[in-house]
Amino acid sequence: MTLQSLLSLKVLALLTLAASSQASATVPRDDARNAANMAVDVRALPNAPDGYAPKGEDCPSDRPKIRSASSLSRNETSWLEVRRKKTVDPMRELLGRLNITGFDAAGYISDHAQNSSDLPNIAIAVSGGGYRALMNGGGALRAFDSREDNSTSSGHLGGLLQSSTYLAGLSGGGWLVGSIFLNNFSSITGLLNDDKSSVWEFGNSIFEGPAGGLVDSVNYYDEISDDVTAKIDAGFNCSITDYWGRALSYQLIGAENGGPAYTWSSIALEDQFVSGDTPMPLLVADGRAPDTLLVGGNATVFEFNPWEFGTFDPTTYGFAPLEYLGSEFSNGALPSDKKCVRGFDNAGYIMGTSSSLFNAFLVNIDGQDIPDLAKKLVKKILEAVGQDQNDIADYSPNPFYGFQNSSNENAKSKRLTLVDGGEDLQNIPLHPLIQPDRHVDVIFAVDSSADTSNWPNGTSLVATYERSLTDISNGTSFPAVPGQNTFVNLGLNTRPTFFGCNSSNTTGPTPLVVYIPNSPYVFLSNVSTFDRKYEDSLRDAIVQNGYESATMGNATADAQWPTCVGCAIISRSLERTKTSVPDVCQQCFKDHCWDGTVNNTAPAAYEPTIKGNEVTLKSDKKNGVAGQFHERIGVASMAVTAVVAALLASVF
């Protein structure tokens, strides 16, 4: 990164601070919420050797290497033996509560508990969509978490999270997954706590930094800049994603200065994860050359799991040890004269990689609530950064350099660049979960995409299905889905729908997909992906709507919904064990499975209305407006902006 780029980022920091320098409005907290037993504890594994800057160290005797993607890693295989056993009790309890009439679901799990391949294998996938996706997806996970108050009551789905093997996130959904795991596998209520342990404080935008006034904001930018500069001084390429990831960490990780030494690979060392008491977290990003603006359906889809970074796609078909990213691998090995670099896999950087929306931000800058002068200056800075080809996440040195030269499209480049995992339109992270070696039976796919008026319309499922029909799918299979017009015309984007109910219609082992779209049960949660701040009452309303979307209003919209969730969970397992499908499940599949009907006529404008009792936002006492979370810039802010303009004039 050039000195000019560094200075530009410093100036951007001052500019955005100026644009937001007035004190944030504060909505009264909900004193009725009792979550004292769910406080977020400080994590014990900030294990990077030198803070944010990667550092070379002596290698272990068994030097790290790149492996083929022909199987799961030994780490994952060993962990699965532990985790699958740990899902038995919560799955038995959950299915026993879901009232599958005429079928002893708890007894069925007990009968097959000794053979994990017979048991249901559950995954949850949370889409991208910025803070909207984090909050709406958070509501769904709150509904699935048996630790949450009332989540195991009649009509609720608590225990689904504890029964799951995998939890995948992308972009804003990746922030959610990361924030949970990087805070001791916290509950959503724990992250929302209205006390000193609260993590999700979005009343100050990511451009302002933590609450505390101008001085704190200046310190915030100084700390971020110092961290990224240290990485540059250590000899590594940096991009805007480094700044973005560090800023995200302040909002998502409950540690001092956003935990600059926290790594994604440290999740594999956490006691709860090692003992199989949590699902396995997965994040997704797309491969993209720095001078490419568009990412198509044939882009390589990379995943980050606690042990590895890589892809099953034939374009690379390999995995690198995550802990040693930044090391100079060549031809699949680390030469004897090279150090083992650690700390490159900074947790914020990984989350930022999966959500590097800078091109989109540039396109949408006109929609931001900052002054026209500020918009012009931000555009100028981002355009300059784009011209320097730093609008990506840089994973140089490329760990796959020289690896499988005949088939690896990245084999000849020492640079590997990644972007937001949703840029190929696969905005739900399904790719890691449909890999045959993972044997996933059912995926609960929570979609908070902004396809039509900031509501989803099935685009993500369509993209994954279409990709599964091409060579790059490499043997993966995905259930057939209709086009976006049919999704809207048939209301499939307004309620949960099952896809792949009849496994005999698929070309290979295919999970059943339970599609859960963001829909207005109690709140119009279709806020913009690019909204910068959320007062607590607005945040909590979106989370609550996500809960209601996942539970269909706690079964008030469909009394059979909890039962049908149970039927979806056991469907593939019943096939493997040659067990008859209960009558109530036959009815569930009739009610919730897409039956192949298509209506491709152009739909009318999609303007859904609230289905239940609307959540009323608390009054903002400071400004006297319910839910107001965008403040106008003041005279002092304009003065600072003018100073920034003068600085920029000297830079460009």
Side-chain angles (χ1 to χ4, degrees):
M1 175 172 282
T2 65
L3 178 61
Q4 183 186 50
S5 295
L6 279 172
L7 183 55
S8 297
L9 266 295
K10 282 271 194 177
V11 173
L12 176 58
L14 291 171
L15 170 63
T16 49
L17 173 60
S20 307
S21 65
Q22 283 191 309
S24 297
T26 302
V27 174
R29 300 185 183 277
D30 183 1
D31 296 328
R33 188 165 62 230
N34 179 10
N37 61 333
M38 295 186 184
V40 177
D41 296 324
V42 176
R43 288 184 67 244
L45 290 173
N47 66 336
D50 193 21
Y52 186 72
K55 182 179 180 181
E57 299 181 329
D58 291 339
C59 293
S61 57
D62 183 14
R63 294 179 70 82
K65 58 180 68 71
I66 310 301
R67 71 169 185 88
S68 167
S70 58
S71 65
L72 299 181
S73 70
R74 285 180 294 176
N75 284 323
E76 184 172 348
T77 300
S78 298
W79 176 84
L80 283 169
E81 293 177 2
V82 179
R83 175 59 183 168
R84 294 304 305 281
K85 292 176 182 177
K86 288 293 183 76
T87 64
V88 172
D89 286 343
M91 194 181 304
R92 178 166 45 218
E93 194 278 332
L94 170 66
L95 291 171
R97 279 192 289 107
L98 296 184
N99 193 28
I100 304 177
T101 307
F103 180 73
D104 181 7
Y108 176 81
I109 297 299
S110 296
D111 291 344
H112 295 280
Q114 300 307 310
N115 186 356
S116 62
S117 63
D118 284 346
L119 293 173
N121 192 10
I122 305 169
I124 301 170
V126 188
S127 81
Y131 292 97
R132 179 188 62 252
L134 175 145
M135 293 179 288
N136 181 67
L141 293 187
R142 197 181 206 180
F144 298 158
D145 189 345
S146 61
R147 298 172 295 175
E148 298 283 3
D149 288 346
N150 300 318
S151 68
T152 58
S153 302
S154 177
H156 297 247
L157 301 175
L160 180 59
L161 178 62
Q162 284 71 23
S163 303
S164 297
T165 307
Y166 298 101
L167 175 59
L170 180 158
S171 195
W175 306 348
L176 167 64
V177 172
S179 193
I180 290 171
F181 278 88
L182 295 164
N183 293 289
N184 296 313
F185 195 65
S186 173
S187 67
I188 300 304
T189 295
L191 295 169
L192 295 172
N193 261 345
D194 291 340
D195 57 29
K196 65 180 180 180
S197 70
S198 175
V199 176
W200 287 1
E201 294 295 334
F202 304 142
N204 271 33
S205 82
I206 197 168
F207 295 141
E208 294 172 272
L214 181 62
V215 173
D216 279 2
S217 293
V218 171
N219 291 337
Y220 166 70
Y221 280 109
D222 277 344
E223 290 161 0
I224 290 174
S225 179
D226 289 346
D227 286 339
V228 179
T229 300
K231 182 176 177 180
I232 295 169
D233 290 344
F236 294 89
N237 292 346
C238 286
S239 66
I240 289 184
T241 304
D242 286 275
Y243 294 87
W244 177 239
R246 285 298 298 121
L248 281 173
S249 296
Y250 281 78
Q251 292 197 324
L252 302 177
I253 301 175
E256 185 178 0
N257 298 336
Y262 285 13
T263 63
W264 193 261
S265 58
S266 74
I267 294 172
L269 305 176
E270 286 286 343
D271 289 342
Q272 289 186 85
F273 181 77
V274 171
S275 61
D277 291 323
T278 76
M280 175 174 148
L282 292 156
L283 261 57
V284 169
D286 290 340
R288 195 198 80 178
D291 55 355
T292 302
L293 292 179
L294 298 176
V295 173
N298 63 346
T300 301
V301 178
F302 288 89
E303 72 170 55
F304 299 88
N305 64 54
W307 305 282
E308 293 185 311
F309 160 73
T311 178
F312 292 96
D313 284 350
T315 46
T316 301
Y317 202 60
F319 282 87
L322 183 64
E323 182 180 8
Y324 297 112
L325 285 184
S327 304
E328 294 185 58
F329 291 94
S330 180
N331 300 309
L334 190 59
S336 59
D337 62 337
K338 300 297 183 183
K339 293 279 191 179
C340 280
V341 172
R342 293 181 56 246
F344 189 99
D345 65 315
N346 174 269
Y349 188 62
I350 302 296
M351 290 188 285
T353 297
S354 185
S355 61
S356 53
L357 291 168
F358 301 107
N359 284 343
F361 179 80
L362 182 59
V363 170
N364 287 275
I365 187 66
D366 289 329
Q368 298 298 311
D369 62 322
I370 59 179
D372 288 340
L373 174 60
K375 291 176 184 177
K376 291 177 182 178
L377 299 179
V378 171
K379 285 182 180 180
K380 192 170 185 179
I381 292 171
L382 292 181
E383 286 168 357
V385 172
Q387 290 165 5
D388 286 342
Q389 299 183 353
N390 285 318
D391 58 332
I392 40 76
D394 199 323
Y395 279 73
S396 303
N398 174 16
F400 304 108
Y401 177 69
F403 176 69
Q404 299 186 158
N405 286 286
S406 61
S407 58
N408 176 11
E409 66 178 15
N410 295 303
K412 296 181 180 180
S413 175
K414 291 189 176 182
R415 193 180 189 202
L416 178 66
T417 57
L418 306 180
V419 295
D420 189 292
E423 286 201 20
D424 60 356
L425 300 183
Q426 295 187 91
N427 201 39
I428 305 175
L430 298 163
H431 183 268
L433 307 177
I434 61 176
Q435 299 304 319
D437 286 340
R438 286 191 167 129
H439 304 291
V440 172
D441 289 331
V442 57
I443 303 171
F444 288 84
V446 181
D447 193 3
S448 306
S449 302
D451 303 323
T452 176
S453 301
N454 290 331
W455 300 106
N457 69 359
T459 291
S460 183
L461 294 189
V462 173
T464 299
Y465 172 60
E466 290 179 345
R467 190 181 196 269
S468 75
L469 305 178
T470 66
D471 290 341
I472 200 171
S473 67
N474 206 25
T476 58
S477 180
F478 193 75
V481 299
Q484 292 93 325
N485 287 354
T486 294
F487 264 88
V488 177
N489 288 329
L490 300 186
L492 305 181
N493 65 330
T494 67
R495 62 181 184 273
T497 303
F498 298 171
F499 295 96
C501 293
N502 187 349
S503 63
S504 65
N505 288 341
T506 61
T507 57
T510 308
L512 188 154
V513 175
V514 179
Y515 179 62
I516 303 175
N518 181 24
S519 188
Y521 277 79
V522 294
F523 190 72
L524 291 172
S525 54
N526 61 327
V527 293
S528 170
T529 304
F530 302 102
D531 281 347
R532 301 178 298 136
K533 60 175 69 176
Y534 297 86
E535 300 298 350
D536 288 355
S537 63
L538 178 63
R539 176 200 67 184
D540 294 349
I542 297 173
V543 170
Q544 182 61 32
N545 191 74
Y547 192 114
E548 304 286 336
S549 294
T551 62
M552 294 194 75
N554 302 323
T556 58
D558 181 349
Q560 286 293 96
W561 175 238
T563 297
C564 294
V565 167
C567 293
I569 291 172
I570 64 175
S571 177
R572 295 292 193 261
S573 176
L574 295 179
E575 292 179 5
R576 285 196 298 276
T577 59
K578 296 180 171 54
T579 302
S580 298
V581 178
D583 290 343
V584 68
C585 289
Q586 299 277 18
Q587 186 60 48
C588 280
F589 296 145
K590 181 179 179 181
D591 292 342
H592 289 282
C593 293
W594 176 57
D595 62 4
T597 300
V598 173
N599 181 349
N600 285 324
T601 59
Y606 184 62
E607 298 178 354
T609 56
I610 292 175
K611 304 173 183 180
N613 296 322
E614 182 174 4
V615 171
T616 301
L617 299 185
K618 289 187 176 182
S619 251
D620 178 343
K621 289 183 179 179
K622 187 162 189 175
N623 292 327
V625 179
Q628 182 173 351
F629 57 96
H630 291 264
E631 299 89 31
R632 296 182 178 181
I633 191 162
V635 174
S637 301
M638 291 300 293
V640 178
T641 303
V643 172
V644 173
L647 287 171
L648 278 171
S650 67
V651 173
F652 294 100

